Amino acid sequence: MSRWLKILAIFSVFFIVAACSGGNTPEATAKAFIEKSYAGDAEGVLALMHMPEGDKPGEKEMAEGKIKAMVAESKDTAQKKGGVKKVTVETAEVNKNDPNHAKASVHIQFKEGEENDTVHLIKIDGKWKVRLTAGW
């Protein structure tokens, strides 16, 4: 009987960890993207983005450099507003015509003010990533 209890305990821990990990959803990806942006975590932001290979040499590196600069600006904005208090995904909508595209409306509450933003996402190899371009 104790063997079954051990197996049950292992499965319980597995399911609790899986449930708490946030999963791979448009909502979780959008929230993490915004949080990392305002925290100044450029590498974390880049990890969440879909970066298609450019046609010209150095194109991807140039885009990454611009994204890192935008993340630094976001961190500065957050600091000027007293820091991020809370990030909430208000809505997330998967495109009915193409289920590999989604957009999420995100509300950012700072200690001094608030903003709304829209995050456009694409599903690549089963994982939701932030798209560089707007639209579906």
Side-chain angles (χ1 to χ4, degrees):
M1 187 70 161
S2 67
R3 178 176 168 215
W4 288 109
L5 287 175
K6 288 179 185 177
I7 292 172
L8 181 61
I10 290 170
F11 278 114
S12 297
V13 169
F14 171 77
F15 286 117
I16 289 170
V17 169
C20 294
S21 67
N24 182 32
T25 64
E27 296 89 345
T29 303
K31 183 176 181 182
F33 175 76
I34 295 294
E35 289 173 339
K36 290 178 185 300
S37 294
Y38 285 111
D41 182 0
E43 294 303 319
V45 167
L46 288 169
L48 291 170
M49 295 191 75
H50 171 58
M51 300 285 290
E53 292 296 324
D55 293 335
K56 300 175 186 171
E59 211 170 45
K60 183 177 179 181
E61 290 78 14
M62 185 174 70
E64 287 177 353
K66 289 181 179 183
I67 290 165
K68 287 179 181 181
M70 290 184 342
V71 169
E73 286 179 29
S74 295
K75 181 179 179 181
D76 187 49
T77 297
Q79 288 174 338
K80 288 178 182 175
K81 295 183 177 191
V84 175
K85 187 174 181 182
K86 187 176 182 180
V87 175
T88 307
V89 177
E90 301 285 322
T91 61
E93 179 183 1
V94 176
N95 186 329
K96 294 174 189 164
N97 297 321
D98 184 354
N100 289 319
H101 288 87
K103 61 182 173 181
S105 297
V106 183
H107 181 77
I108 305 103
Q109 185 178 4
F110 299 97
K111 292 180 182 166
E112 299 171 14
E114 52 189 57
E115 290 182 11
N116 292 304
D117 203 349
T118 301
V119 179
H120 297 270
L121 303 114
I122 185 168
K123 197 173 205 179
I124 302 291
D125 298 327
K127 294 184 181 180
W128 286 103
K129 298 282 189 174
V130 176
R131 292 180 55 204
L132 286 173
T133 57
W136 283 110

